[in-house]
Amino acid sequence: MSGTTGKRKEIYKYLAPWPLYSMNWSVRPDKRFRLALGSFVEEYNNKVQIISLDEDTSEFSAKSTFDHPYPTTKIMWIPDSKGVFPDLLATSGDYLRVWRAGEPDTRLECVLNNNKNSDFCAPLTSFDWNEVDPNLVGTSSIDTTCTIWGLETGQPLGRINLVSGHVKTQLIAHDKEVYDIAFSRAGGGRDMFASVGADGSVRMFDLRHLEHSTIIYEDPAHTPLLRLAWNKQDPNYLATVAMDSCEVIILDVRVPCTPVARLSNHRACVNGIAWAPHSSCHICTAGDDHQALIWDIQQMPRPIEDPILAYTAAEGEVNQIQWGATQPDWIAICYKTACEILRV
């Protein structure tokens, strides 16, 4: 193509009214370039905002904004790439909440609270929504447990789909707080999940055999592990990052306890990791050094020296990174009050 006619922008930016922490891409095929953003305000009243890019004007606009108690620790849209389920998103914080997206009104469908003692709540650090069976959601908590929830996205009554949930199982996953949970695509993609926590271990579970778990990795200094992400194309690989660490550790479940690679170009602590949705050998990482880096790990187990792409967010520490499952050409990052999507 000649000149700039028809040339698409490489970066789109949205400025929210408040600092951002959690963020994620919508998965539905009919809602391209839609994201949900969670505020990070250190008080009870926080917000979630759904934004969408108008591809004609190249501008993001807010489609729906709703209140949320405390900052969201994670936001996810229902992993429904065919658009057959109700248009749901979930948030974790004090509890797990499921919402029905609407413009302008997003409606709370249910609050899932596993604690029968109403005086006490053990905040949720993270959750994951099962891609193979979107009626399964797993949560991780500071009370050392993981809970697997069964959702019922009931048949429509009139125009209303009723969404409810029940506890399928709750297990003590770690010796200390659990900081992240993620379902694996191995073995059919429904029953296997892993978690990381303050005891510095990565543990793997099978819903069919919950009487035992497998320790995949333990940090030598027992430093807490904060994040966990499975490779989207090769379920043998996962990535984790330790608290205040500048490096991302890549693990192979077939070789437990020995990292197959260390990605160590960040110059300050890593805050986020996201595998490519469409490639088994690409992963992006983001950190307090204002950088988002994309790595090609094909050379493993030979050392991975440098990233193949680097983007610097001049104004702030990058605290969130997500790679769009239905738009693999785009990565989203958050820093300060900004959300940017970057064409890769």
Side-chain angles (χ1 to χ4, degrees):
M1 294 177 71
S2 61
T4 57
T5 50
K7 180 162 168 50
R8 299 274 303 284
K9 282 169 62 173
E10 304 294 310
I11 300 173
Y12 296 92
K13 182 175 182 176
Y14 176 75
L15 287 174
W18 5 254
L20 295 174
Y21 173 65
S22 57
M23 167 272 291
N24 223 325
W25 290 91
S26 167
V27 183
R28 288 175 73 94
D30 58 335
K31 299 284 188 183
R32 283 168 53 85
F33 295 107
R34 181 176 68 162
L35 300 104
L37 313 173
S39 69
F40 186 82
V41 183
E42 293 191 43
E43 54 184 63
Y44 182 79
N45 295 314
N46 273 263
K47 299 282 187 186
V48 173
Q49 192 167 70
I50 296 170
I51 64 169
S52 182
L53 180 71
D54 183 321
E55 294 184 64
D56 295 325
T57 65
S58 297
E59 296 291 332
F60 269 113
S61 62
K63 300 296 184 185
S64 181
T65 306
F66 53 97
D67 293 323
H68 194 280
Y70 304 106
T72 52
T73 53
K74 187 169 181 178
I75 294 177
M76 269 188 94
W77 296 82
I78 187 167
D80 174 22
S81 57
K82 296 189 173 67
V84 295
F85 285 86
D87 193 10
L88 303 177
L89 68 158
T91 57
S92 53
D94 50 350
Y95 303 115
L96 180 69
R97 290 175 173 83
V98 180
W99 311 80
R100 178 185 304 263
E103 298 177 15
D105 295 323
T106 293
R107 194 173 76 232
L108 178 63
E109 286 283 330
C110 59
V111 178
L112 300 178
N113 172 16
N114 191 21
N115 200 330
K116 302 302 171 265
N117 175 358
S118 59
D119 301 335
F120 172 76
C121 126
L124 302 177
T125 50
S126 187
F127 72 98
D128 195 25
W129 209 323
N130 191 291
E131 292 181 11
V132 172
D133 181 358
N135 292 312
L136 283 181
V137 177
T139 58
S140 57
S141 171
I142 63 167
D143 68 2
T144 76
T145 69
C146 291
T147 302
I148 306 297
W149 292 89
L151 293 185
E152 289 82 40
T153 51
Q155 295 309 307
L157 298 172
R159 291 190 309 113
I160 303 170
N161 275 66
L162 302 172
V163 179
S164 60
H166 66 279
V167 174
K168 291 182 86 74
T169 188
Q170 182 179 28
L171 58 132
I172 294 174
H174 288 261
D175 303 329
K176 295 180 181 176
E177 298 93 330
V178 191
Y179 288 137
D180 204 1
I181 181 173
F183 286 105
S184 162
R185 290 192 173 182
R190 188 182 177 280
D191 297 295
M192 318 270 281
F193 66 94
S195 60
V196 293
D199 58 11
S201 69
V202 181
R203 302 191 184 200
M204 193 154 167
F205 300 88
D206 187 328
L207 289 174
R208 298 160 295 195
H209 309 287
L210 282 173
E211 61 278 3
H212 58 86
S213 64
T214 307
I215 294 181
I216 300 175
Y217 175 73
E218 282 189 294
D219 183 84
H222 301 289
T223 307
L225 299 175
L226 299 186
R227 289 282 167 266
L228 163 72
W230 286 100
N231 187 309
K232 300 292 186 197
Q233 296 295 329
D234 185 339
N236 290 312
Y237 293 106
L238 71 161
T240 187
V241 60
M243 186 169 74
D244 298 329
S245 170
C246 299
E247 70 176 12
V248 173
I249 295 164
I250 310 287
L251 303 168
D252 183 338
V253 295
R254 299 163 297 190
V255 193
C257 301
T258 309
V260 284
R262 295 174 186 273
L263 311 179
S264 47
N265 274 49
H266 281 285
R267 294 188 291 276
C269 70
V270 176
N271 294 323
I273 42 180
W275 290 91
H278 58 308
S279 158
S280 62
C281 53
H282 292 96
I283 185 171
C284 58
T285 60
D288 272 3
D289 58 0
H290 299 208
Q291 289 203 104
L293 306 177
I294 297 181
W295 307 79
D296 183 340
I297 59 167
Q298 282 183 88
Q299 302 297 322
M300 293 190 313
R302 296 208 297 280
I304 313 297
E305 302 288 352
D306 290 304
I308 56 170
L309 273 175
Y311 175 75
T312 302
E315 291 110 61
E317 301 164 349
V318 184
N319 52 38
Q320 188 67 247
I321 188 160
Q322 298 287 346
W323 204 322
T326 48
Q327 278 136 278
D329 295 343
W330 295 89
I331 286 173
I333 61 170
C334 288
Y335 58 90
K336 295 195 172 174
T337 66
C339 173
E340 287 185 346
I341 64 169
L342 318 170
R343 186 202 286 275
V344 295

